[in-house]
Amino acid sequence: MSFIWTIAEQHDGELKAVSFELLARGRALADALDTRLASVLIGAEVSEAQLQELVVRGADEVYYIEDRRLAEFVCESWSNTLATLVRQYQPAVILAAATSTGRTLMPHLAVKLNAGLTADCTELAIEAGTDNLLQTRPAIGGNIMATIKTPDNRPQMATVRPRSTVPLPRDPQRAGKIIRVPADEAEVETRVRVLGCRTDAEDFVNLEEAEVVVAGGKGMKRAENFALLRDLAAQLDAMVGASRDAVDRGWIGYPHQIGLSGKTISPKLYIGAGISGSIQHLAGIKTAETIVSVNRDPDAPLHSIADFAIVGDLFEVVPELTRRLKALKAAET
Ligand SMILES: Cc1cc2nc3c(=O)[nH]c(=O)nc-3n(C[C@H](O)[C@H](O)[C@H](O)COP(=O)(O)OP(=O)(O)OC[C@H]3O[C@@H](n4cnc5c(N)ncnc54)[C@H](O)[C@@H]3O)c2cc1C
């Protein structure tokens, strides 16, 4: 019996990177408990090679529930299907990603299973002696880290922020079992009909996957000034992010928010302009490789963690960066 499960995610038959991040988390827990790790995938037309990739990245077993009607995420039918599988195999732990799919699915599933659920965990561990899952997440505005456990109910369920873990390296020698689970007619039946998916909408800003992010805060002063950041972003093939203050003022949409109550990003390069660097904002950029801060206040907290701190007026510095990048590109061609 597998005791640790991860819920893999796919789009159009392609596994999402977060599926491998969850396996890294799950592997550590399964090894600590000396038990097996399974990944559950729901969808349609996922190739054998993709299923095998879950094994190569750490799973001992893969449960693949395939049905054309399950290709797109529909909470009701996915949750029904998963609940049946959980009742059958009784895993001790289920980890899902804190993506919009995971955040919607897991509460629904938790209610069905009468289980607890800790959202947005940053640390997971096994408690010595009890084998309970220790689920740690920021609480009270990010000022403390709270560790939560569920000693009485099973499964223990948690969501984990995308990009908060590095996937395990591929191990093509790993062997595992692919178990194809037929979908139950009654469970797949749903009152929801998917008419299509909009991937052009603002909600789909995929900041988590961006290699370069240029973000603006309250120092940007008004919505129109974000055009300066978009110009810079265009030179760097970057996406535009923001602090909560900028989002709350309506200068840019919520999907751009970085931080504790926004997105966790892990780009190679993050440039923050007019962002002070509150603890809640920093929670979202902890794993960025290189941090550049542009702020006229030399004591801004973002400066102190930045690899490059530019003390100056962003309305001079940002256009100057854009100008120099343009000049560099022109010189290269
Ligand atoms: C529960 C909770 C969750 C939260 N979640 C988030 C979150 O997810 N993300 C987040 O960002 N915040 C979050 N916050 C809010 C957070 O506490 C801060 O209020 C917010 O991050 C501040 O945004 P800011 O840096 O843009 O603004 P400020 O802190 O006001 O900083 C603006 C900065 O701009 C600089 N500046 C001004 N003019 C210029 C100029 N011309 N040139 C250069 N620099 C200039 C100033 O020196 C200042 O440092 C959360 C708060 C709570 C309580």
Side-chain angles (χ1 to χ4, degrees):
M1 193 192 290
S2 287
F3 283 106
I4 312 289
W5 280 15
T6 65
I7 308 296
E9 288 190 24
Q10 54 85 29
H11 180 67
D12 277 349
E14 284 289 312
L15 288 169
K16 292 190 186 168
V18 76
S19 310
F20 307 131
E21 296 168 19
L22 288 175
L23 280 171
R25 297 274 191 174
R27 190 68 264 162
L29 301 178
D31 291 348
L33 285 172
D34 196 19
T35 187
R36 294 206 302 275
L37 170 66
S39 200
V40 182
L41 182 70
I42 302 179
E45 293 179 24
V46 178
S47 68
E48 189 67 30
Q50 287 281 287
L51 298 176
Q52 203 55 45
E53 195 60 24
L54 291 167
V55 173
V56 165
R57 295 291 192 146
D60 300 310
E61 280 146 26
V62 176
Y63 295 102
Y64 175 37
I65 310 169
E66 183 172 37
D67 191 288
R68 187 180 37 79
R69 290 160 294 178
L70 295 171
E72 306 288 352
F73 171 59
V74 175
C75 189
E76 199 177 28
S77 45
W78 278 40
S79 162
N80 286 342
T81 306
L82 267 175
T84 303
L85 203 69
V86 171
R87 289 193 188 104
Q88 187 180 347
Y89 291 98
Q90 307 201 342
V93 171
I94 307 179
L95 307 180
T99 52
S100 47
T101 299
R103 284 175 200 235
T104 314
L105 174 67
M106 293 298 270
H108 201 278
L109 183 63
V111 170
K112 275 181 173 296
L113 298 171
N114 196 28
L117 171 65
T118 307
D120 266 355
C121 293
T122 52
E123 308 273 339
L124 294 167
I126 299 294
E127 186 178 48
T130 66
D131 288 352
N132 282 325
L133 179 68
L134 299 175
Q135 306 152 56
T136 303
R137 55 153 297 152
I140 316 187
N143 290 316
I144 62 156
M145 298 302 281
T147 297
I148 294 155
K149 54 185 178 180
T150 326
D152 300 327
N153 288 44
R154 292 290 179 269
Q156 303 159 94
M157 302 192 2
T159 60
V160 181
R161 285 198 161 203
R163 296 283 182 152
S164 65
T165 331
V166 180
L168 296 171
R170 296 183 78 248
D171 178 1
Q173 307 307 321
R174 276 189 58 84
K177 236 179 9 189
I178 312 279
I179 302 148
R180 289 175 184 269
V181 184
D184 184 295
E185 255 328 286
E187 285 162 0
V188 172
E189 243 355 280
T190 168
R191 295 164 292 176
V192 178
R193 196 153 56 90
V194 179
L195 300 176
C197 280
R198 280 191 62 198
T199 49
D200 58 332
E202 160 106 330
D203 274 356
F204 288 91
V205 176
N206 203 353
L207 273 183
E208 290 105 327
E209 303 286 328
E211 297 222 320
V212 184
V213 173
V214 177
K218 195 167 117 197
M220 295 305 297
K221 310 273 193 280
R222 60 175 67 92
E224 299 77 59
N225 293 336
F226 269 79
L228 294 176
L229 297 185
R230 291 193 189 96
D231 289 347
L232 177 58
Q235 296 307 312
L236 292 165
D237 281 333
M239 287 196 168
V240 175
S243 71
R244 175 160 150 183
D245 242 84
V247 170
D248 285 353
R249 281 159 206 273
W251 297 345
I252 190 163
Y254 172 70
H256 296 267
Q257 184 174 316
I258 298 164
L260 190 65
S261 48
K263 290 179 174 165
T264 303
I265 59 169
S266 195
K268 290 203 167 90
L269 173 64
Y270 161 93
I271 303 177
I275 293 181
S276 59
S278 65
I279 190 167
Q280 293 88 358
H281 189 79
L282 298 186
I285 59 168
K286 263 198 308 217
T287 53
E289 271 178 40
T290 302
I291 295 176
V292 178
S293 169
V294 183
N295 199 310
R296 64 183 178 193
D297 175 4
D299 297 322
L302 189 60
H303 277 333
S304 61
I305 62 136
D307 300 279
F308 299 95
I310 305 175
V311 180
D313 187 330
L314 72 90
F315 295 102
E316 291 166 17
V317 175
V318 172
E320 182 61 17
L321 286 174
T322 309
R323 194 186 64 73
R324 290 202 190 187
L325 283 165
K326 267 189 191 158
L328 261 178
K329 280 191 178 171
E332 277 168 12
T333 51

